[in-house]
Amino acid sequence: MFIDPHAHMISRTTDDYEAMAEAGIVAVIEPAFWVGQPRTFVGTYVDYLSTIVGFERFRAAQFDIRHYCTIGLNSKEANNEELAEGVMEWLPRFALKEGVVAIGEIGYDEQTALEDKYFRAQLTLAKELKLPVMVHTPHRDKKRGTSRSMDVCEEMGVDPSWVVIDHNNEETVKETLDRGFWAGFSIYPSTKMGNARMVELLKQYGGNGIIVDSACDWGISDCLGVPKTAQLALQSGISPEIVRQVTYANALEVYGKSGQIKERDWFEPTGIDQRDLYEGNSILRGGREPRIEAPGQRKKENLYIE
Amino acid sequence: MKQPSELLRQQVLRQADEHRDWLEERWQMLASDCSERELHIVMGMAPRILGKAQLTLEPDALAQFDAMLPGWQPVDWSLDSAARVVSLAIYRGERPFAAIFKDLRRTADTRELIALYQGLPFYPAPESLAFDVGEALRSNISDVFRAVVHHNPYPQTYFDGHRWNHMVLKALFINLPLQPILGLLERNNPELACQLVDHVKERWAAGRDISIEVWRCIAPYAIEANALDIFEQAINGTSKHGAAAALSLAANPDPRAQALLAANPRAQLLVDEGLAKENLVNEDLTHRNSLLKREDA
């Protein structure tokens, strides 16, 4: 049973949802981000937030995966001041919606003055609304950018145990953990972490404070990053307790502080609210049955499409 | 006569228990010209404060509602949804109601969307919401579509013929029952009957099943829609469809419809079977849609 706490599902197909469900992923968290190329109208950002709060949750539910999201103005688009000002006005209207587990993914991309301004503004918002924070750390000048992100969080009076510093690597992990922040690792080919390297870090640091995600998106990335890392870790002799921490329990703990993600969401979907999407009425368009049995097999071996 | 929203407000306060004061305060604020931001926040907070329990009405409240909104029932209404509806119904802001509704809709999560549309009978300026209602009808999220279409007096009163017909067609397309559509028989029309005949033929050509509820909609216009041949086919086919088809056609006084039944040996048996099986529709729904755990029909 796994949680992938960083997955841009809006860019992924239903094949991915099928594979994720089959691999044991019960929940995903989709951070608000840019969509591959810069937005030019505030409205498209607003409609995107509406989609990750609404339709994408529904899409995931059809595969029995519980979908949550974070709301925020990302670091790249913070550089478009007109867009950024507009988006900041709309954020409070989305941040209290069902399934919103954090303000994010915010932080630095290039470490410009505008990025800094909106990073701070959103940390203030997170404090006001009592939400955890998902911090995106830069891919260039990462070591300094990550330190600086943590400096700003502390300066703004945000509790580090409410903050996930994501996209860590061998160079950033020690400081992140030492300063009391959660350390996220994105198992993403070529540009971020690999899972063999991740296993080495688990041997070194154990499971406390560490969260594994896939950050799968429009690029060449693997929606099975979390379960594959779990499997490799177990094979390499990492204890099941540590694997469970870093691929399930820690994500649940920090994002659970929002009150919007709980274990019973996937354990007892029939219990709570009759009208929740996940039980009873998750009918696909055209009336197909929602539960897919052995999806991989069905697709490859079945010539017929009905 | 009391407004429906006033009665709903009273019912919600009754069930709100220890949160009554919070709600009263918010509603006083909303009714006296505060910013839309406040409305949005109350809408967001409602489930977190009040919880999501099923809305329960006082015993005579339903009768009072029925007098004001014939056929309306709060099936699948939760307490927080009702509170959201009241909040919007009593809100006094500067912009036109449709503009306020639109901004709520475009930032709503799915449960909120459902509440927004369930509340249609309670709002001011209902005709002004035609565009936003259209967005719900076009939704890919079936529960949002259902909120407009089931147990809701709005479509019967405000939809033109085209929108009505397409609503019924979409309900069939996404395997929703027709029975909870208020005004299904009153708003039935020959054009819809023709569209349903095409729908039946298309499904049969594809080897796919159809809802047994279509027969009741086609039968009154069986002649206009040139549907006698498909009735014949249904009567000679499975008994499930045969019974529904025969029973509904029997209510059509046209001699050609009656002649078809008279000429078919199975027909009378099926009519009797159809009469005997009061829950014909329920059984069909259960069979075709084991996904649907709610009692809708």
Side-chain angles (χ1 to χ4, degrees), chain A residues 23-90:
Chain A
I25 294 174
V26 295
V28 295
I29 300 175
E30 174 152 14
F33 205 52
W34 83 324
V35 286
Q37 61 176 57
R39 294 178 179 95
T40 65
F41 291 95
V42 174
T44 58
Y45 207 115
V46 170
D47 286 345
Y48 162 78
L49 294 179
S50 179
T51 301
I52 63 175
V53 159
F55 185 60
E56 200 55 41
R57 283 199 110 193
F58 176 74
R59 209 165 73 105
Q62 293 168 349
F63 299 91
D64 253 355
I65 290 179
R66 307 296 167 256
H67 177 285
Y68 307 86
C69 70
T70 74
I71 293 295
L73 168 66
N74 64 82
S75 46
K76 283 190 199 273
E77 287 169 332
N79 289 292
N80 177 337
E81 194 162 17
E82 193 188 332
L83 182 78
E85 281 299 305
V87 171
M88 287 303 295
E89 268 184 53
W90 285 87

Side-chain angles (χ1 to χ4, degrees), chain A residues 275, chain B residues 51 76-86 111 114-115 118:
Chain A
R275 297 165 323 109
Chain B
D76 279 352
W77 279 60
S78 60
L79 180 62
D80 59 313
S81 297
R84 282 168 157 167
V85 169
V86 174
R111 285 190 81 253
I114 292 167
Q118 284 177 326

